[in-house]
Amino acid sequence: MTTIKGFGNRMKKEQNSSVVITRQEHGISRKLMSPNALRVLYRLKDNGFVGYLVGGCVRDLLLGREPKDFDVVTNATPGEIKRMFRNCRLIGRRFRLAHIHFKDEIIEVSTFRAQASNEPEPEPNDANDAGHRQRDARMLKDDDGMILRDNVYGTPEEDALRRDFTVNSLSYNIADFSIIDYTGGLADLGAGIIRTIGDPNVRFQEDPVRMLRAVRFAAQLGFTIEEETRKALVAAADTIVRAAPPRLYDEMLKLLLSGEGAKCYDLLSQTGLFAALFPAFSSWLGTENESFPHTRFGAMLNCVDSRIQQGGKVSPPLLLALLFGEYLDAKAERFRRQGAPWQQSVNAAIAEFMGETCPTVMIMNRVGIALRDIISQQLRLKKIPGRRPESFIARHDFYDIIEYCRITHGDKKDVGKQLDWWVAQSRQEAPVPLPGLAEENEAPQRKRKRRRRRRNPNAKSKIEGT
């Protein structure tokens, strides 16, 4: 792990100014960086532009962690970036970004952003010069202060001050391999603190999703949220619903599939964010069922964390089924008491859940359908072999159905045998025998008797004829 404690004295001496950590002092090797990111940085440098690695990749390299992605910032405009890279695609309206596509990786490149400005954005003179350096782009905010558009180009320092948290504002300069700190991020990294850059009340107002990011970084890195940042987060928790529902869905997946989902949930619950995102489910979770608390949610979070930490994967439909399955079962049981058949009760429960959740956290329709199938197909597992078992095995979500049953009911001996039988069948192996189970589900087949050939009494044997 790269040490960062030795930078403390120097940062105190250069307070309120940028701190430059040379290659010999930080010890980060380019061997740990993405080759594609280095290609982008060197091409920008060769064309006379400034290029920095920035954000989470620099933070993780300093902490001795493996970065998931590498982001680049530069003084080149999106149009200039596109002319330099044939494999470039420009995306976004609120934040104009360049995606450099490689075979197995996408490097995101953004232009240095300037400080906030509330002046209106003038219309461009030419519709084709949207990426040109001469464009006088401005930031647009709504009446509540949330950023709607942000294409204001600025300097490296202004760009660093515009970022969300100090530990995410560190830059790696490809020109001399140094690390540049404009915000005191190295000190917070050494102290294990998540702190917003600037007034946290304003920063969370500009983009409510920053509250979820604060929780995720604190849980993943094992850091604490700085006191003023935490107070502002708790005060603004209810405003999380102002963010776009699809963004909130993506952020929730990042939180719950981070490998630290249980810690994330604890922080979400303590700050009031979870109740704001899932009010109906949160209310149900706080009640008791026949004097027993709902403990399955926490157990499933720990199970998902354990699987991800061991290198496994959990699909979004399976994640939702594991976390909300008990809640959905309670809804389905209510519909069954009203006379609905099994399948209709599950369909109604899923529809009600989607209606509660999607206005705030937009679960995609295909994910909702897969969630419904995982829950409703649990009965099919008990019918061995049942009608057309090969069609059931061919389902794209077959293993999610198996895993849901194994995780939630796999401790029962008979259930384990059923699942082993289905898995063996899917692998074209010999079926695992299940004594007595097949007879319960299938009517026993009568053994066909061999028909005896009647002998003609008038016929003479060959011996007699001879």
Side-chain angles (χ1 to χ4, degrees), residues 394-464:
R395 294 177 60 98
H396 69 279
D397 56 357
F398 171 74
Y399 285 103
D400 278 350
I401 296 170
I402 291 288
E403 285 305 303
Y404 177 75
C405 187
R406 193 181 297 280
I407 292 172
T408 55
H409 298 96
D411 54 341
K412 298 178 181 178
K413 186 176 180 180
D414 290 344
V415 172
K417 290 182 178 180
Q418 293 172 19
L419 299 179
D420 289 343
W421 188 91
W422 282 110
V423 171
Q425 285 292 91
S426 68
R427 296 173 179 171
Q428 300 298 317
E429 299 174 359
V432 177
L434 298 175
L437 184 60
E439 287 79 359
E440 295 176 6
N441 292 284
E442 297 291 329
Q445 296 182 357
R446 294 182 178 180
K447 188 175 181 181
R448 189 174 179 180
K449 294 183 179 181
R450 185 175 180 182
R451 187 175 180 181
R452 292 183 62 187
R453 184 178 178 184
R454 294 184 64 183
R455 184 175 182 182
N456 187 351
N458 297 324
K460 294 182 179 181
S461 66
K462 292 183 180 181
I463 297 177
E464 285 185 81

Side-chain angles (χ1 to χ4, degrees), residues 257-444:
L257 294 176
S258 64
E260 299 292 348
K263 290 183 181 178
C264 288
Y265 167 71
D266 288 340
L267 287 173
L268 289 172
S269 181
Q270 292 168 15
T271 56
L273 285 169
F274 193 81
L277 290 167
F278 303 99
F281 176 71
S282 182
S283 177
W284 175 85
L285 205 59
T287 61
E288 294 186 348
N289 180 27
E290 297 179 355
S291 300
F292 290 98
H294 300 288
T295 58
R296 179 168 146 184
F297 179 76
M300 292 300 101
L301 276 175
N302 291 327
C303 177
V304 171
D305 287 346
S306 176
R307 177 166 297 201
I308 292 174
Q309 290 168 7
Q310 293 173 9
K313 292 185 178 181
V314 179
S315 69
L318 179 58
L319 173 72
L320 295 179
L322 291 172
L323 298 185
F324 299 103
E326 186 181 17
Y327 181 53
L328 294 171
D329 288 343
K331 285 182 177 292
E333 179 61 28
R334 173 165 53 83
F335 286 111
R336 280 194 291 276
R337 287 198 300 266
Q338 296 172 3
W342 163 260
Q343 186 62 53
Q344 290 183 14
S345 67
V346 172
N347 294 348
I350 298 295
E352 188 173 273
F353 171 72
M354 295 287 281
E356 294 170 356
T357 308
C358 288
T360 304
V361 181
M362 177 61 75
I363 300 173
M364 291 180 289
N365 190 48
R366 61 179 177 83
V367 175
I369 293 173
L371 168 63
R372 179 199 66 191
D373 290 346
I374 290 174
I375 302 295
S376 64
Q377 291 297 322
Q378 295 303 301
L379 281 182
R380 178 65 182 88
L381 294 172
K382 299 179 181 179
K383 301 175 182 179
I384 297 179
R387 297 176 58 185
R388 302 182 64 188
E390 65 282 354
S391 297
F392 180 59
I393 291 172
R395 294 177 60 98
H396 69 279
D397 56 357
F398 171 74
Y399 285 103
D400 278 350
I401 296 170
I402 291 288
E403 285 305 303
Y404 177 75
C405 187
R406 193 181 297 280
I407 292 172
T408 55
H409 298 96
D411 54 341
K412 298 178 181 178
K413 186 176 180 180
D414 290 344
V415 172
K417 290 182 178 180
Q418 293 172 19
L419 299 179
D420 289 343
W421 188 91
W422 282 110
V423 171
Q425 285 292 91
S426 68
R427 296 173 179 171
Q428 300 298 317
E429 299 174 359
V432 177
L434 298 175
L437 184 60
E439 287 79 359
E440 295 176 6
N441 292 284
E442 297 291 329

